[in-house]
């Protein structure tokens, strides 16, 4: 049970870090570059955060009851539908040039930066405690 609570704390830290980055990076982009670039960063961050939260919801729903996990086919099917919807949205945004592609790519990467940042922080904490 302690591991589950620890995992939830870790996930909340990733979400909080992502929220902070989703606010600060577009604001910094607006201040140092332009509002259209900031809009691209914000749109990318919103698309990927929505995809991440949907994946979290799907996995939580699928694994909530230990003995009643859905079949692999159903789980992978739902996963790939979410993935394909995300790819379609990304493709549409880039195809119609609604935002600058580099700014959009930066926004898309903010979730990954959050995961890596929290992972590095967790590694440093565990290394200092002597957990290996």
């Amino acid at each position: 049970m302690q591991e589950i609570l620890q995992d939830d704390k870790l996930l909340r830290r990733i979400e909080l870090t992502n929220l902070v980055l989703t606010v600060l990076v577009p604001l910094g982009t607006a201040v140092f570059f332009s509002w259209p670039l900031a809009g691209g960063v914000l749109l990318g961050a919103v698309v990927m955060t929505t995809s991440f939260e949907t994946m979290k919801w799907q996995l939580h729903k699928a694994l909530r009851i230990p003995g009643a996990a859905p079949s692999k086919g159903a789980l992978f099917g739902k996963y790939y539908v979410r993935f394909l919807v995300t790819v379609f949205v990304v493709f549409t945004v880039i195809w119609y040039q609604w935002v600058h592609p580099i700014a959009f790519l930066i926004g898309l990467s903010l979730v990954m930066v959050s995961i890596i940042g929290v992972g590095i922080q967790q590694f440093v904490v565990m290394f200092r405690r002597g957990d290996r």
Side-chain angles (χ1 to χ4, degrees):
M1 186 67 171
Q2 182 64 21
E3 272 186 45
I4 293 173
L5 295 177
Q6 189 67 14
D7 292 343
D8 284 343
K9 284 183 184 179
L10 199 58
L11 189 56
R12 281 194 211 103
R13 282 184 26 217
I14 290 170
E15 291 171 335
L16 180 63
T17 303
N18 184 51
L19 178 64
V20 169
L21 288 176
T22 300
V23 171
L24 293 181
V25 173
L27 283 177
T29 304
V31 168
F32 292 108
F33 296 101
S34 68
W35 283 103
L37 287 177
V41 172
L42 183 61
L43 182 60
V46 167
V47 166
M48 197 50 69
T49 300
T50 303
S51 178
F52 180 75
E53 290 297 324
T54 304
M55 181 180 64
K56 181 186 93 168
W57 173 77
Q58 286 175 329
L59 290 174
H60 179 71
K61 184 179 170 189
L63 304 174
R64 177 179 30 200
I65 302 170
S71 68
K72 286 182 186 178
L75 192 59
F76 283 125
K78 291 175 184 177
Y79 176 84
Y80 282 110
V81 166
R82 179 195 54 80
F83 176 74
L84 290 174
V85 168
T86 303
V87 167
F88 176 76
V89 169
V90 169
F91 178 77
T92 303
V93 167
I94 291 175
W95 180 264
Y96 289 107
Q97 299 175 354
W98 291 338
V99 293
H100 191 277
I102 302 298
F104 187 62
L105 180 65
I106 290 169
L108 289 173
S109 67
L110 290 182
V111 171
M112 197 60 177
V113 169
S114 301
I115 292 169
I116 291 170
V118 170
I120 290 171
Q121 180 187 27
Q122 189 68 20
F123 173 77
V124 168
V125 167
M126 290 173 62
F127 189 76
R128 285 186 180 165
R129 281 194 313 212
D131 298 342
R132 295 189 186 147

